[in-house]
Amino acid sequence: MDVERRSGRSFVRARAVLVAGSVGLLLAVGGCGASGDSMDSGAKAADGEAAPREGFAEEGGAAASAAPEEQADGKAAGKEAAPKPGGTHVIRTATLSVEVKSVPKAAAAARGVAEGAGGLVASENTERLDDTYETSHLVLRVPQERFQEVLRELAGSGKLLSRTSNAKDVTDQVVDVESRIATQRASVARVRELMDQAEKISDVVSLEGELSSRQSDLESLLAQQASLKDRTSLATITLDLTPPDAPGYDGSKDEDPGFLDALGGGWDAFVTMLRWIAVAFGAAFPFLLTAALAVVVWRVVRKRKASRGAAPVVTAAAAGKDGASAS
């Protein structure tokens, strides 16, 4: 019995040890598997985190390298997208003095050059100095792009005596006027909206006065814009045409007068003197006529008085002679 009990106890112990060993082995295997899994998952997680970080680093580097290029492209695009200015607005003027053989032909040629370039003749003034010489003054308006070409043609039409040219940049003034026009138009529109919404007569009257004032300012700005557009689109050329021997233009002729010049000058002086004598006589004639009539009347009156004084003397002499003869 004891043997059986001992063998049973030893079997139970062995079984318990076997079970405990099996459980321990299972726990050990499970722990290793869990640790392996955790290590694998940790490694995978680490690899996963590292991979995105590496990818982020690569993408960040690419972005960092691409950023300057994008900024450069952005600046270039900004430059291309930036609105270009409307151009430079310049007022060009020029003055030419040309000596030509025939002033009428040169003036006609200048008109043809201006009209052929798409311009016009703003004004023309021809003055005759005497029966032989004449000068011409022309103001031509030509397009800006043909300005230099027209100048060369006009300067080559004869002997160039003088030339002046001027260019004035009015771009800022043009931009300022355009901006003020836009602002003024918006202001006029606002006043009209307020007039539509006004209900009181006093408000309507006040808004009408304000609208009239703003419209007047707008019209003034539009006139300035039109003037600037005209002067910047068409250049102005002032042309003076003179003949070679025009009097008063070359003083060499008056410095050395000849016999004919002296004779002509003396004749002119003589005629001028006779003219002034005739003028003086005509002015004094009424006074001379009055004086002559006064002298004639005075002489007639004097003769009558003399005849009346002589009659009593003759009568007394005759009476004396008669008395003497009677005695």
Side-chain angles (χ1 to χ4, degrees):
M1 292 294 293
D2 293 335
V3 174
E4 290 178 359
R5 291 178 179 176
R6 289 178 181 177
S7 60
R9 291 176 179 176
S10 60
F11 178 74
V12 172
R13 289 178 181 175
R15 187 176 179 180
V17 170
L18 181 61
V19 172
S22 299
V23 172
L25 180 61
L26 290 174
L27 291 174
V29 172
C32 291
S35 63
D37 293 338
S38 63
M39 291 178 65
D40 292 338
S41 62
K44 290 179 180 179
D47 293 337
E49 292 177 359
R53 288 178 181 176
E54 292 176 359
F56 179 77
E58 292 178 357
E59 291 177 1
S65 61
E69 296 178 359
E70 290 178 359
Q71 291 178 358
D73 294 337
K75 291 180 180 179
K79 291 181 180 179
E80 293 178 358
K84 296 181 179 180
T88 303
H89 300 273
V90 181
I91 298 176
R92 301 183 185 277
T93 58
T95 302
L96 295 177
S97 180
V98 182
E99 183 182 283
V100 294
K101 294 181 179 179
S102 176
V103 171
K105 293 182 180 179
R111 289 193 296 268
V113 170
E115 293 173 356
L120 54 92
V121 180
S123 66
E124 180 178 357
N125 181 24
T126 300
E127 180 181 2
R128 182 174 294 276
L129 301 178
D130 53 22
D131 295 337
T132 306
Y133 304 102
E134 63 181 7
T135 62
S136 184
H137 177 83
L138 297 92
V139 178
L140 310 175
R141 304 294 305 282
V142 297
Q144 293 276 359
E145 58 272 11
R146 304 290 298 276
F147 177 67
Q148 296 297 335
E149 178 183 352
V150 173
L151 277 182
R152 286 193 296 269
E153 292 186 13
L154 294 177
S157 62
K159 180 181 178 181
L160 182 62
L161 302 177
S162 64
R163 171 177 174 174
T164 58
S165 181
N166 185 26
K168 181 180 180 182
D169 190 352
V170 293
T171 304
D172 295 339
Q173 187 175 354
V174 171
V175 173
D176 178 66
V177 170
E178 291 178 352
S179 175
R180 291 171 62 188
I181 287 174
T183 303
Q184 198 68 19
R185 281 177 174 169
S187 177
V188 170
R190 286 196 300 270
V191 173
R192 286 178 176 173
E193 291 178 359
L194 292 175
M195 286 184 63
D196 294 337
Q197 298 174 2
E199 296 179 355
K200 297 181 180 180
I201 297 178
S202 60
D203 295 340
V204 173
V205 172
S206 177
L207 289 173
E208 284 181 350
E210 187 66 24
L211 178 61
S212 176
S213 175
R214 298 190 182 188
Q215 283 182 340
S216 177
D217 294 339
L218 178 59
E219 291 176 358
S220 176
L221 291 173
L222 290 174
Q224 293 181 21
Q225 185 185 40
S227 176
L228 288 172
K229 183 178 180 181
D230 176 69
R231 289 185 293 166
T232 54
S233 60
L234 294 177
T236 303
I237 301 176
T238 303
L239 178 63
D240 291 322
L241 299 174
T242 56
D245 299 329
Y249 183 75
D250 186 4
S252 60
K253 292 182 65 178
D254 298 334
E255 292 179 358
D256 298 325
F259 174 76
L260 295 178
D261 296 331
L263 182 61
W267 177 255
D268 293 337
F270 178 72
V271 172
T272 302
M273 181 188 67
L274 292 179
R275 186 179 304 165
W276 281 109
I277 291 174
V279 170
F281 178 77
F285 180 76
F287 301 96
L288 296 176
L289 181 61
T290 303
L293 291 175
V295 170
V296 171
V297 171
W298 177 76
R299 292 185 66 180
V300 171
V301 172
R302 185 179 179 183
K303 285 181 179 180
R304 286 182 180 181
K305 286 182 178 182
S307 62
R308 288 178 182 178
V313 172
V314 172
T315 303
K321 287 181 178 182
D322 294 336
S325 59
S327 61

